[in-house]
Amino acid sequence: MFSHYKLRFYNYRLVLMLASISAIGVHLVGIAMSSLRTRQLGGVALGMFVMLVVSFIDYSWILNFQWFIYGFNIVMLLAVYVFGNNINGATRWVSLGGFRFQPTELSKIIIIIFFAKYLMDHEEDMNTPRTILRALILLGIPLMLIYIQPDLKNTITIIVIFCILYFIAGLSYKVILS
């Protein structure tokens, strides 16, 4: 998983730019409400740590767990209805310990990982109606769980992400129309 990685190829400049933008964000949050500065700084530190750990993991290794990740995504989205907090008529957040988490945000990344592997596995029969219908059903399950939160913005975002992934993978309109 980590053995083939060479630190000389690591994009240090990208990490530095992200740290700079995050520092500006922490400063601006501190100007708006100084009591949130420490909390924001903690979130940035945790996010940077997770980013660094994940950046060293070979994504092709992660793709081996596509169905597990997909199931985890469904469980997270269902947890919103069981444990979620209803705020202004929308149930989108789950409280975990001392912080609130929105599973829909992680769901966007999971859907990209899942469908990247799914489309790689179906490269030969990607344009058949059966494969397209199966992909739409697999997309529809998490999509409906997000839509009924209600979260239209993320529903549309996920639809656009799926369409872009399918187009880049090689969807051919000629096969669909015939």
Side-chain angles (χ1 to χ4, degrees), residues 24-52:
I24 293 169
V26 169
H27 176 67
L28 292 175
V29 166
I31 290 172
M33 188 176 287
S34 60
S35 62
L36 292 179
R37 181 178 287 142
T38 306
R39 186 174 174 184
Q40 186 76 10
L41 189 58
V44 167
L46 178 65
M48 292 289 282
F49 174 75
V50 170
M51 178 202 66
L52 289 171

Side-chain angles (χ1 to χ4, degrees), residues 20-120:
S20 300
I21 290 171
S22 297
I24 293 169
V26 169
H27 176 67
L28 292 175
V29 166
I31 290 172
M33 188 176 287
S34 60
S35 62
L36 292 179
R37 181 178 287 142
T38 306
R39 186 174 174 184
Q40 186 76 10
L41 189 58
V44 167
L46 178 65
M48 292 289 282
F49 174 75
V50 170
M51 178 202 66
L52 289 171
V53 169
V54 170
S55 71
F56 285 108
I57 298 174
D58 183 14
Y59 70 90
S60 60
W61 178 78
I62 294 172
L63 294 178
N64 293 327
F65 304 101
Q66 89 183 73
W67 288 103
F68 174 77
I69 293 171
Y70 180 81
F72 176 71
N73 186 33
I74 300 302
V75 169
M76 277 192 328
L77 293 172
L78 287 172
V80 170
Y81 300 102
V82 177
F83 305 110
N85 301 330
N86 190 324
I87 300 171
N88 296 329
T91 306
R92 297 183 189 142
W93 298 87
V94 176
S95 295
L96 295 172
F99 68 97
R100 291 178 24 196
F101 172 68
Q102 187 176 12
T104 306
E105 297 302 324
L106 186 57
S107 183
K108 290 186 269 190
I109 297 168
I110 289 173
I111 286 173
I112 291 170
I113 292 170
F114 175 78
F115 279 108
K117 177 67 170 156
Y118 178 84
L119 295 172
M120 284 179 4

Side-chain angles (χ1 to χ4, degrees), residues 81 92 104-105 108 111 139-140 142-162:
Y81 300 102
R92 297 183 189 142
T104 306
E105 297 302 324
K108 290 186 269 190
I111 286 173
L139 175 69
L143 204 60
M144 292 313 312
L145 291 171
I146 294 168
Y147 179 74
I148 61 176
Q149 289 180 4
D151 194 352
L152 185 60
K153 173 191 71 95
N154 283 317
T155 303
I156 293 170
T157 302
I158 290 172
I159 290 170
V160 169
I161 288 169
F162 173 79

Side-chain angles (χ1 to χ4, degrees), residues 119-152:
L119 295 172
M120 284 179 4
D121 291 345
H122 293 280
E123 186 176 1
E124 299 300 321
D125 64 342
M126 178 184 320
N127 293 309
T128 63
R130 183 176 186 189
T131 303
I132 295 170
L133 181 62
R134 193 177 314 148
L136 290 173
I137 290 169
L138 289 169
L139 175 69
I141 295 167
L143 204 60
M144 292 313 312
L145 291 171
I146 294 168
Y147 179 74
I148 61 176
Q149 289 180 4
D151 194 352
L152 185 60

